[in-house]
PDB file of all heavy atoms in Angstrom:
ATOM      1  N   THR A   1      94.168  83.039  86.217  1.00  0.00           N
ATOM      2  CA  THR A   1      93.634  84.298  85.898  1.00  0.00           C
ATOM      3  C   THR A   1      94.591  85.390  86.296  1.00  0.00           C
ATOM      4  O   THR A   1      95.611  85.111  87.058  1.00  0.00           O
ATOM      5  CB  THR A   1      92.248  84.470  86.557  1.00  0.00           C
ATOM      6  OG1 THR A   1      92.587  84.536  88.014  1.00  0.00           O
ATOM      7  CG2 THR A   1      91.336  83.316  86.294  1.00  0.00           C
ATOM      8  N   MET A   2      94.336  86.604  85.819  1.00  0.00           N
ATOM      9  CA  MET A   2      95.225  87.777  86.006  1.00  0.00           C
ATOM     10  C   MET A   2      94.309  88.952  86.367  1.00  0.00           C
ATOM     11  O   MET A   2      93.281  89.195  85.780  1.00  0.00           O
ATOM     12  CB  MET A   2      96.076  88.067  84.778  1.00  0.00           C
ATOM     13  CG  MET A   2      96.990  87.053  84.348  1.00  0.00           C
ATOM     14  SD  MET A   2      97.955  87.558  82.910  1.00  0.00           S
ATOM     15  CE  MET A   2      98.926  86.129  82.601  1.00  0.00           C
ATOM     16  N   ARG A   3      94.848  89.797  87.165  1.00  0.00           N
ATOM     17  CA  ARG A   3      94.430  91.186  87.399  1.00  0.00           C
ATOM     18  C   ARG A   3      95.568  92.028  87.235  1.00  0.00           C
ATOM     19  O   ARG A   3      96.769  91.689  87.720  1.00  0.00           O
ATOM     20  CB  ARG A   3      93.630  91.286  88.675  1.00  0.00           C
ATOM     21  CG  ARG A   3      92.210  90.864  88.592  1.00  0.00           C
ATOM     22  CD  ARG A   3      91.333  91.218  89.756  1.00  0.00           C
ATOM     23  NE  ARG A   3      91.951  90.747  90.996  1.00  0.00           N
ATOM     24  CZ  ARG A   3      91.855  91.321  92.137  1.00  0.00           C
ATOM     25  NH1 ARG A   3      91.403  92.495  92.262  1.00  0.00           N
ATOM     26  NH2 ARG A   3      92.368  90.707  93.154  1.00  0.00           N
ATOM     27  N   THR A   4      95.410  93.315  86.874  1.00  0.00           N
ATOM     28  CA  THR A   4      96.509  94.151  86.530  1.00  0.00           C
ATOM     29  C   THR A   4      96.362  95.575  87.172  1.00  0.00           C
ATOM     30  O   THR A   4      95.361  96.110  87.421  1.00  0.00           O
ATOM     31  CB  THR A   4      96.601  94.253  85.032  1.00  0.00           C
ATOM     32  OG1 THR A   4      95.451  94.906  84.421  1.00  0.00           O
ATOM     33  CG2 THR A   4      96.820  92.911  84.309  1.00  0.00           C
ATOM     34  N   TRP A   5      97.607  96.174  87.293  1.00  0.00           N
ATOM     35  CA  TRP A   5      97.684  97.601  87.474  1.00  0.00           C
ATOM     36  C   TRP A   5      98.279  98.238  86.191  1.00  0.00           C
ATOM     37  O   TRP A   5      98.916  97.542  85.441  1.00  0.00           O
ATOM     38  CB  TRP A   5      98.518  97.908  88.739  1.00  0.00           C
ATOM     39  CG  TRP A   5     100.021  97.558  88.712  1.00  0.00           C
ATOM     40  CD1 TRP A   5     100.984  98.470  88.170  1.00  0.00           C
ATOM     41  CD2 TRP A   5     100.673  96.301  88.969  1.00  0.00           C
ATOM     42  NE1 TRP A   5     102.194  97.892  88.283  1.00  0.00           N
ATOM     43  CE2 TRP A   5     102.078  96.599  88.664  1.00  0.00           C
ATOM     44  CE3 TRP A   5     100.270  95.159  89.418  1.00  0.00           C
ATOM     45  CZ2 TRP A   5     103.075  95.685  88.951  1.00  0.00           C
ATOM     46  CZ3 TRP A   5     101.207  94.180  89.691  1.00  0.00           C
ATOM     47  CH2 TRP A   5     102.572  94.364  89.417  1.00  0.00           C
ATOM     48  N   ILE A   6      98.184  99.523  86.106  1.00  0.00           N
ATOM     49  CA  ILE A   6      98.620 100.319  84.981  1.00  0.00           C
ATOM     50  C   ILE A   6      99.743 101.252  85.371  1.00  0.00           C
ATOM     51  O   ILE A   6      99.565 102.082  86.333  1.00  0.00           O
ATOM     52  CB  ILE A   6      97.496 101.041  84.160  1.00  0.00           C
ATOM     53  CG1 ILE A   6      96.489  99.989  83.772  1.00  0.00           C
ATOM     54  CG2 ILE A   6      98.007 101.883  83.080  1.00  0.00           C
ATOM     55  CD1 ILE A   6      95.234 100.690  83.112  1.00  0.00           C
ATOM     56  N   HIS A   7     100.839 101.205  84.604  1.00  0.00           N
ATOM     57  CA  HIS A   7     101.937 102.262  84.876  1.00  0.00           C
ATOM     58  C   HIS A   7     102.573 102.446  83.576  1.00  0.00           C
ATOM     59  O   HIS A   7     102.919 101.535  82.847  1.00  0.00           O
ATOM     60  CB  HIS A   7     102.945 101.641  85.808  1.00  0.00           C
ATOM     61  CG  HIS A   7     103.878 102.774  86.246  1.00  0.00           C
ATOM     62  ND1 HIS A   7     104.800 103.354  85.586  1.00  0.00           N
ATOM     63  CD2 HIS A   7     103.977 103.365  87.557  1.00  0.00           C
ATOM     64  CE1 HIS A   7     105.504 104.179  86.233  1.00  0.00           C
ATOM     65  NE2 HIS A   7     105.041 104.316  87.481  1.00  0.00           N
ATOM     66  N   PRO A   8     102.668 103.725  83.136  1.00  0.00           N
ATOM     67  CA  PRO A   8     103.209 104.069  81.799  1.00  0.00           C
ATOM     68  C   PRO A   8     104.622 103.612  81.623  1.00  0.00           C
ATOM     69  O   PRO A   8     105.082 103.386  80.347  1.00  0.00           O
ATOM     70  CB  PRO A   8     103.074 105.600  81.690  1.00  0.00           C
ATOM     71  CG  PRO A   8     103.000 106.098  83.119  1.00  0.00           C
ATOM     72  CD  PRO A   8     102.267 104.977  83.919  1.00  0.00           C
ATOM     73  N   ARG A   9     105.361 103.435  82.629  1.00  0.00           N
ATOM     74  CA  ARG A   9     106.744 102.873  82.533  1.00  0.00           C
ATOM     75  C   ARG A   9     106.812 101.420  83.016  1.00  0.00           C
ATOM     76  O   ARG A   9     107.974 100.940  83.331  1.00  0.00           O
ATOM     77  CB  ARG A   9     107.674 103.754  83.287  1.00  0.00           C
ATOM     78  CG  ARG A   9     107.719 105.247  82.762  1.00  0.00           C
ATOM     79  CD  ARG A   9     108.811 105.227  81.626  1.00  0.00           C
ATOM     80  NE  ARG A   9     110.223 105.144  82.160  1.00  0.00           N
ATOM     81  CZ  ARG A   9     111.270 104.740  81.359  1.00  0.00           C
ATOM     82  NH1 ARG A   9     111.108 104.656  80.078  1.00  0.00           N
ATOM     83  NH2 ARG A   9     112.425 104.562  81.913  1.00  0.00           N
ATOM     84  N   GLY A  10     105.742 100.774  83.207  1.00  0.00           N
ATOM     85  CA  GLY A  10     105.778  99.344  83.601  1.00  0.00           C
ATOM     86  C   GLY A  10     106.387  99.090  84.996  1.00  0.00           C
ATOM     87  O   GLY A  10     106.674  98.039  85.296  1.00  0.00           O
ATOM     88  N   GLN A  11     106.185 100.121  85.865  1.00  0.00           N
ATOM     89  CA  GLN A  11     106.898  99.890  87.189  1.00  0.00           C
ATOM     90  C   GLN A  11     106.011  99.276  88.200  1.00  0.00           C
ATOM     91  O   GLN A  11     104.851  99.133  87.972  1.00  0.00           O
ATOM     92  CB  GLN A  11     107.269 101.344  87.568  1.00  0.00           C
ATOM     93  CG  GLN A  11     108.213 102.151  86.705  1.00  0.00           C
ATOM     94  CD  GLN A  11     109.560 101.532  86.628  1.00  0.00           C
ATOM     95  OE1 GLN A  11     110.207 101.323  87.685  1.00  0.00           O
ATOM     96  NE2 GLN A  11     110.107 101.232  85.419  1.00  0.00           N
ATOM     97  N   VAL A  12     106.572  98.929  89.294  1.00  0.00           N
ATOM     98  CA  VAL A  12     105.780  98.432  90.444  1.00  0.00           C
ATOM     99  C   VAL A  12     104.990  99.576  91.041  1.00  0.00           C
ATOM    100  O   VAL A  12     105.574 100.614  91.437  1.00  0.00           O
ATOM    101  CB  VAL A  12     106.819  97.771  91.465  1.00  0.00           C
ATOM    102  CG1 VAL A  12     105.923  97.292  92.656  1.00  0.00           C
ATOM    103  CG2 VAL A  12     107.392  96.610  90.814  1.00  0.00           C
ATOM    104  N   ASP A  13     103.653  99.335  91.192  1.00  0.00           N
ATOM    105  CA  ASP A  13     102.772 100.353  91.891  1.00  0.00           C
ATOM    106  C   ASP A  13     102.388  99.708  93.102  1.00  0.00           C
ATOM    107  O   ASP A  13     101.256  99.121  93.203  1.00  0.00           O
ATOM    108  CB  ASP A  13     101.650 100.775  90.940  1.00  0.00           C
ATOM    109  CG  ASP A  13     100.780 101.792  91.571  1.00  0.00           C
ATOM    110  OD1 ASP A  13     100.911 102.083  92.798  1.00  0.00           O
ATOM    111  OD2 ASP A  13     100.009 102.439  90.851  1.00  0.00           O
ATOM    112  N   LEU A  14     103.151  99.677  94.148  1.00  0.00           N
ATOM    113  CA  LEU A  14     102.893  98.927  95.349  1.00  0.00           C
ATOM    114  C   LEU A  14     101.585  99.317  95.989  1.00  0.00           C
ATOM    115  O   LEU A  14     100.822  98.375  96.489  1.00  0.00           O
ATOM    116  CB  LEU A  14     104.014  99.056  96.369  1.00  0.00           C
ATOM    117  CG  LEU A  14     104.047  98.082  97.468  1.00  0.00           C
ATOM    118  CD1 LEU A  14     103.849  96.629  96.987  1.00  0.00           C
ATOM    119  CD2 LEU A  14     105.319  98.172  98.316  1.00  0.00           C
ATOM    120  N   PRO A  15     101.272 100.584  96.110  1.00  0.00           N
ATOM    121  CA  PRO A  15      99.955 100.929  96.685  1.00  0.00           C
ATOM    122  C   PRO A  15      98.838 100.317  95.993  1.00  0.00           C
ATOM    123  O   PRO A  15      97.807  99.772  96.580  1.00  0.00           O
ATOM    124  CB  PRO A  15      99.895 102.429  96.705  1.00  0.00           C
ATOM    125  CG  PRO A  15     101.285 102.916  96.613  1.00  0.00           C
ATOM    126  CD  PRO A  15     102.074 101.830  95.860  1.00  0.00           C
ATOM    127  N   THR A  16      98.768 100.235  94.629  1.00  0.00           N
ATOM    128  CA  THR A  16      97.786  99.556  93.957  1.00  0.00           C
ATOM    129  C   THR A  16      97.824  98.072  94.059  1.00  0.00           C
ATOM    130  O   THR A  16      96.724  97.464  94.139  1.00  0.00           O
ATOM    131  CB  THR A  16      97.800  99.923  92.404  1.00  0.00           C
ATOM    132  OG1 THR A  16      97.754 101.403  92.386  1.00  0.00           O
ATOM    133  CG2 THR A  16      96.697  99.413  91.671  1.00  0.00           C
ATOM    134  N   VAL A  17      99.040  97.490  94.138  1.00  0.00           N
ATOM    135  CA  VAL A  17      99.079  96.112  94.348  1.00  0.00           C
ATOM    136  C   VAL A  17      98.435  95.749  95.649  1.00  0.00           C
ATOM    137  O   VAL A  17      97.746  94.689  95.775  1.00  0.00           O
ATOM    138  CB  VAL A  17     100.672  95.656  94.283  1.00  0.00           C
ATOM    139  CG1 VAL A  17     100.780  94.231  94.844  1.00  0.00           C
ATOM    140  CG2 VAL A  17     101.263  95.840  92.924  1.00  0.00           C
ATOM    141  N   ARG A  18      98.732  96.572  96.688  1.00  0.00           N
ATOM    142  CA  ARG A  18      97.978  96.262  97.928  1.00  0.00           C
ATOM    143  C   ARG A  18      96.513  96.242  97.862  1.00  0.00           C
ATOM    144  O   ARG A  18      95.804  95.420  98.482  1.00  0.00           O
ATOM    145  CB  ARG A  18      98.420  97.336  99.055  1.00  0.00           C
ATOM    146  CG  ARG A  18      99.836  97.185  99.463  1.00  0.00           C
ATOM    147  CD  ARG A  18     100.071  98.169 100.669  1.00  0.00           C
ATOM    148  NE  ARG A  18     101.506  98.079 101.060  1.00  0.00           N
ATOM    149  CZ  ARG A  18     102.368  99.014 100.856  1.00  0.00           C
ATOM    150  NH1 ARG A  18     102.075 100.091 100.074  1.00  0.00           N
ATOM    151  NH2 ARG A  18     103.557  98.970 101.323  1.00  0.00           N
ATOM    152  N   THR A  19      95.894  97.077  97.075  1.00  0.00           N
ATOM    153  CA  THR A  19      94.498  97.196  96.884  1.00  0.00           C
ATOM    154  C   THR A  19      93.973  95.983  96.062  1.00  0.00           C
ATOM    155  O   THR A  19      92.872  95.532  96.243  1.00  0.00           O
ATOM    156  CB  THR A  19      93.968  98.370  96.259  1.00  0.00           C
ATOM    157  OG1 THR A  19      94.449  98.578  94.932  1.00  0.00           O
ATOM    158  CG2 THR A  19      94.560  99.759  97.016  1.00  0.00           C
ATOM    159  N   LEU A  20      94.816  95.447  95.172  1.00  0.00           N
ATOM    160  CA  LEU A  20      94.433  94.409  94.258  1.00  0.00           C
ATOM    161  C   LEU A  20      94.495  93.021  94.998  1.00  0.00           C
ATOM    162  O   LEU A  20      93.748  92.083  94.711  1.00  0.00           O
ATOM    163  CB  LEU A  20      95.267  94.300  93.049  1.00  0.00           C
ATOM    164  CG  LEU A  20      95.075  95.458  92.005  1.00  0.00           C
ATOM    165  CD1 LEU A  20      96.150  95.259  90.914  1.00  0.00           C
ATOM    166  CD2 LEU A  20      93.707  95.365  91.359  1.00  0.00           C
ATOM    167  N   PHE A  21      95.432  92.963  95.970  1.00  0.00           N
ATOM    168  CA  PHE A  21      95.632  91.598  96.570  1.00  0.00           C
ATOM    169  C   PHE A  21      94.395  91.080  97.254  1.00  0.00           C
ATOM    170  O   PHE A  21      93.694  91.729  97.975  1.00  0.00           O
ATOM    171  CB  PHE A  21      96.767  91.813  97.657  1.00  0.00           C
ATOM    172  CG  PHE A  21      96.906  90.616  98.546  1.00  0.00           C
ATOM    173  CD1 PHE A  21      97.334  89.388  98.057  1.00  0.00           C
ATOM    174  CD2 PHE A  21      96.500  90.586  99.890  1.00  0.00           C
ATOM    175  CE1 PHE A  21      97.429  88.275  98.922  1.00  0.00           C
ATOM    176  CE2 PHE A  21      96.515  89.558 100.777  1.00  0.00           C
ATOM    177  CZ  PHE A  21      97.106  88.346 100.241  1.00  0.00           C
ATOM    178  N   ALA A  22      94.186  89.850  96.939  1.00  0.00           N
ATOM    179  CA  ALA A  22      93.052  89.128  97.384  1.00  0.00           C
ATOM    180  C   ALA A  22      93.485  87.902  98.263  1.00  0.00           C
ATOM    181  O   ALA A  22      93.974  86.928  97.717  1.00  0.00           O
ATOM    182  CB  ALA A  22      92.049  88.632  96.372  1.00  0.00           C
ATOM    183  N   PRO A  23      93.321  87.877  99.573  1.00  0.00           N
ATOM    184  CA  PRO A  23      93.746  86.718 100.296  1.00  0.00           C
ATOM    185  C   PRO A  23      92.665  85.559 100.074  1.00  0.00           C
ATOM    186  O   PRO A  23      91.699  85.706  99.417  1.00  0.00           O
ATOM    187  CB  PRO A  23      93.658  87.143 101.740  1.00  0.00           C
ATOM    188  CG  PRO A  23      92.594  88.272 101.676  1.00  0.00           C
ATOM    189  CD  PRO A  23      92.712  88.949 100.297  1.00  0.00           C
ATOM    190  N   ASP A  24      92.981  84.447 100.726  1.00  0.00           N
ATOM    191  CA  ASP A  24      92.093  83.312 100.762  1.00  0.00           C
ATOM    192  C   ASP A  24      90.837  83.616 101.552  1.00  0.00           C
ATOM    193  O   ASP A  24      90.906  83.781 102.737  1.00  0.00           O
ATOM    194  CB  ASP A  24      92.818  82.013 101.219  1.00  0.00           C
ATOM    195  CG  ASP A  24      91.865  80.825 101.075  1.00  0.00           C
ATOM    196  OD1 ASP A  24      90.779  80.894 100.551  1.00  0.00           O
ATOM    197  OD2 ASP A  24      92.429  79.631 101.329  1.00  0.00           O
ATOM    198  N   MET A  25      89.610  83.766 100.809  1.00  0.00           N
ATOM    199  CA  MET A  25      88.493  84.068 101.512  1.00  0.00           C
ATOM    200  C   MET A  25      87.352  82.966 101.368  1.00  0.00           C
ATOM    201  O   MET A  25      86.199  83.244 101.267  1.00  0.00           O
ATOM    202  CB  MET A  25      87.891  85.443 101.026  1.00  0.00           C
ATOM    203  CG  MET A  25      88.795  86.637 101.471  1.00  0.00           C
ATOM    204  SD  MET A  25      88.092  88.154 100.951  1.00  0.00           S
ATOM    205  CE  MET A  25      88.414  88.111  99.170  1.00  0.00           C
ATOM    206  N   GLY A  26      87.874  81.768 101.144  1.00  0.00           N
ATOM    207  CA  GLY A  26      86.881  80.648 101.118  1.00  0.00           C
ATOM    208  C   GLY A  26      86.485  80.460  99.580  1.00  0.00           C
ATOM    209  O   GLY A  26      86.983  81.052  98.697  1.00  0.00           O
ATOM    210  N   PRO A  27      85.440  79.611  99.384  1.00  0.00           N
ATOM    211  CA  PRO A  27      85.053  79.219  98.055  1.00  0.00           C
ATOM    212  C   PRO A  27      84.099  80.298  97.465  1.00  0.00           C
ATOM    213  O   PRO A  27      83.010  79.829  96.851  1.00  0.00           O
ATOM    214  CB  PRO A  27      84.327  77.885  98.328  1.00  0.00           C
ATOM    215  CG  PRO A  27      83.747  78.033  99.686  1.00  0.00           C
ATOM    216  CD  PRO A  27      84.697  78.883 100.433  1.00  0.00           C
ATOM    217  N   PHE A  28      84.520  81.532  97.392  1.00  0.00           N
ATOM    218  CA  PHE A  28      83.654  82.501  96.847  1.00  0.00           C
ATOM    219  C   PHE A  28      84.470  83.493  95.897  1.00  0.00           C
ATOM    220  O   PHE A  28      83.976  84.033  94.944  1.00  0.00           O
ATOM    221  CB  PHE A  28      83.029  83.368  97.880  1.00  0.00           C
ATOM    222  CG  PHE A  28      82.182  82.570  98.833  1.00  0.00           C
ATOM    223  CD1 PHE A  28      82.605  82.312 100.090  1.00  0.00           C
ATOM    224  CD2 PHE A  28      80.913  82.072  98.518  1.00  0.00           C
ATOM    225  CE1 PHE A  28      81.943  81.593 101.001  1.00  0.00           C
ATOM    226  CE2 PHE A  28      80.129  81.405  99.388  1.00  0.00           C
ATOM    227  CZ  PHE A  28      80.637  81.060 100.656  1.00  0.00           C
ATOM    228  N   PHE A  29      85.801  83.681  96.265  1.00  0.00           N
ATOM    229  CA  PHE A  29      86.585  84.598  95.495  1.00  0.00           C
ATOM    230  C   PHE A  29      87.925  84.044  94.985  1.00  0.00           C
ATOM    231  O   PHE A  29      88.458  83.132  95.575  1.00  0.00           O
ATOM    232  CB  PHE A  29      86.898  85.850  96.479  1.00  0.00           C
ATOM    233  CG  PHE A  29      85.651  86.496  96.960  1.00  0.00           C
ATOM    234  CD1 PHE A  29      85.195  86.183  98.195  1.00  0.00           C
ATOM    235  CD2 PHE A  29      84.933  87.387  96.229  1.00  0.00           C
ATOM    236  CE1 PHE A  29      84.079  86.934  98.664  1.00  0.00           C
ATOM    237  CE2 PHE A  29      83.892  88.090  96.651  1.00  0.00           C
ATOM    238  CZ  PHE A  29      83.442  87.777  97.891  1.00  0.00           C
ATOM    239  N   VAL A  30      88.345  84.657  93.891  1.00  0.00           N
ATOM    240  CA  VAL A  30      89.697  84.190  93.382  1.00  0.00           C
ATOM    241  C   VAL A  30      90.837  84.713  94.314  1.00  0.00           C
ATOM    242  O   VAL A  30      90.790  85.768  94.876  1.00  0.00           O
ATOM    243  CB  VAL A  30      89.924  84.815  92.001  1.00  0.00           C
ATOM    244  CG1 VAL A  30      91.264  84.493  91.529  1.00  0.00           C
ATOM    245  CG2 VAL A  30      88.926  84.241  90.994  1.00  0.00           C
ATOM    246  N   ARG A  31      91.639  83.826  94.570  1.00  0.00           N
ATOM    247  CA  ARG A  31      92.742  84.081  95.546  1.00  0.00           C
ATOM    248  C   ARG A  31      94.032  84.450  94.764  1.00  0.00           C
ATOM    249  O   ARG A  31      94.476  83.846  93.802  1.00  0.00           O
ATOM    250  CB  ARG A  31      93.039  82.889  96.426  1.00  0.00           C
ATOM    251  CG  ARG A  31      94.229  82.921  97.298  1.00  0.00           C
ATOM    252  CD  ARG A  31      94.555  81.560  97.876  1.00  0.00           C
ATOM    253  NE  ARG A  31      95.765  81.522  98.699  1.00  0.00           N
ATOM    254  CZ  ARG A  31      96.343  80.432  99.091  1.00  0.00           C
ATOM    255  NH1 ARG A  31      95.774  79.277  98.931  1.00  0.00           N
ATOM    256  NH2 ARG A  31      97.485  80.493  99.833  1.00  0.00           N
ATOM    257  N   THR A  32      94.724  85.550  95.254  1.00  0.00           N
ATOM    258  CA  THR A  32      96.017  85.950  94.749  1.00  0.00           C
ATOM    259  C   THR A  32      97.090  85.040  95.292  1.00  0.00           C
ATOM    260  O   THR A  32      97.203  84.905  96.493  1.00  0.00           O
ATOM    261  CB  THR A  32      96.261  87.397  95.098  1.00  0.00           C
ATOM    262  OG1 THR A  32      95.259  88.304  94.566  1.00  0.00           O
ATOM    263  CG2 THR A  32      97.622  87.894  94.457  1.00  0.00           C
ATOM    264  N   THR A  33      97.844  84.418  94.344  1.00  0.00           N
ATOM    265  CA  THR A  33      98.989  83.641  94.956  1.00  0.00           C
ATOM    266  C   THR A  33     100.392  84.017  94.463  1.00  0.00           C
ATOM    267  O   THR A  33     101.357  83.452  94.841  1.00  0.00           O
ATOM    268  CB  THR A  33      98.787  82.078  94.667  1.00  0.00           C
ATOM    269  OG1 THR A  33      98.608  81.988  93.237  1.00  0.00           O
ATOM    270  CG2 THR A  33      97.577  81.499  95.424  1.00  0.00           C
ATOM    271  N   ALA A  34     100.422  84.989  93.482  1.00  0.00           N
ATOM    272  CA  ALA A  34     101.682  85.381  92.955  1.00  0.00           C
ATOM    273  C   ALA A  34     101.504  86.888  92.359  1.00  0.00           C
ATOM    274  O   ALA A  34     100.472  87.298  91.985  1.00  0.00           O
ATOM    275  CB  ALA A  34     102.251  84.513  91.976  1.00  0.00           C
ATOM    276  N   ILE A  35     102.684  87.557  92.396  1.00  0.00           N
ATOM    277  CA  ILE A  35     102.802  88.887  91.684  1.00  0.00           C
ATOM    278  C   ILE A  35     103.910  88.691  90.771  1.00  0.00           C
ATOM    279  O   ILE A  35     104.949  88.141  91.041  1.00  0.00           O
ATOM    280  CB  ILE A  35     103.139  89.988  92.786  1.00  0.00           C
ATOM    281  CG1 ILE A  35     102.056  89.929  93.880  1.00  0.00           C
ATOM    282  CG2 ILE A  35     103.287  91.315  92.058  1.00  0.00           C
ATOM    283  CD1 ILE A  35     102.413  90.811  95.057  1.00  0.00           C
ATOM    284  N   SER A  36     103.582  89.258  89.535  1.00  0.00           N
ATOM    285  CA  SER A  36     104.755  89.101  88.472  1.00  0.00           C
ATOM    286  C   SER A  36     105.225  90.449  88.085  1.00  0.00           C
ATOM    287  O   SER A  36     104.451  91.480  88.013  1.00  0.00           O
ATOM    288  CB  SER A  36     104.113  88.397  87.200  1.00  0.00           C
ATOM    289  OG  SER A  36     105.097  88.410  86.150  1.00  0.00           O
ATOM    290  N   VAL A  37     106.455  90.552  87.918  1.00  0.00           N
ATOM    291  CA  VAL A  37     107.166  91.830  87.414  1.00  0.00           C
ATOM    292  C   VAL A  37     108.026  91.531  86.190  1.00  0.00           C
ATOM    293  O   VAL A  37     108.498  90.294  86.059  1.00  0.00           O
ATOM    294  CB  VAL A  37     107.937  92.442  88.519  1.00  0.00           C
ATOM    295  CG1 VAL A  37     107.133  92.963  89.543  1.00  0.00           C
ATOM    296  CG2 VAL A  37     109.065  91.515  89.134  1.00  0.00           C
ATOM    297  N   GLU A  38     108.164  92.540  85.377  1.00  0.00           N
ATOM    298  CA  GLU A  38     108.963  92.316  84.113  1.00  0.00           C
ATOM    299  C   GLU A  38     110.102  93.324  84.088  1.00  0.00           C
ATOM    300  O   GLU A  38     109.890  94.460  84.200  1.00  0.00           O
ATOM    301  CB  GLU A  38     108.152  92.540  82.890  1.00  0.00           C
ATOM    302  CG  GLU A  38     108.778  92.267  81.557  1.00  0.00           C
ATOM    303  CD  GLU A  38     107.810  92.412  80.386  1.00  0.00           C
ATOM    304  OE1 GLU A  38     106.613  92.356  80.557  1.00  0.00           O
ATOM    305  OE2 GLU A  38     108.298  92.650  79.305  1.00  0.00           O
ATOM    306  N   ASN A  39     111.348  92.763  84.061  1.00  0.00           N
ATOM    307  CA  ASN A  39     112.518  93.625  84.172  1.00  0.00           C
ATOM    308  C   ASN A  39     113.638  93.122  83.107  1.00  0.00           C
ATOM    309  O   ASN A  39     114.141  91.988  83.352  1.00  0.00           O
ATOM    310  CB  ASN A  39     113.120  93.540  85.594  1.00  0.00           C
ATOM    311  CG  ASN A  39     114.110  94.656  85.934  1.00  0.00           C
ATOM    312  OD1 ASN A  39     114.042  95.757  85.178  1.00  0.00           O
ATOM    313  ND2 ASN A  39     114.934  94.421  86.834  1.00  0.00           N
ATOM    314  N   THR A  40     113.931  93.924  82.160  1.00  0.00           N
ATOM    315  CA  THR A  40     113.243  95.204  81.787  1.00  0.00           C
ATOM    316  C   THR A  40     111.997  95.028  81.161  1.00  0.00           C
ATOM    317  O   THR A  40     111.680  93.880  80.769  1.00  0.00           O
ATOM    318  CB  THR A  40     114.201  95.992  80.746  1.00  0.00           C
ATOM    319  OG1 THR A  40     114.266  95.313  79.525  1.00  0.00           O
ATOM    320  CG2 THR A  40     115.637  96.058  81.311  1.00  0.00           C
TER     321      THR A  40
END
């Protein structure tokens, strides 16, 4: 699965990434295990 942030220039928005990140919280929530960037 994917969740996304929006940037008009496709840049890294680290403050938003921090708010999106989901640690392992047991068998209730999807866990974030990777962050993807595209360059260019």
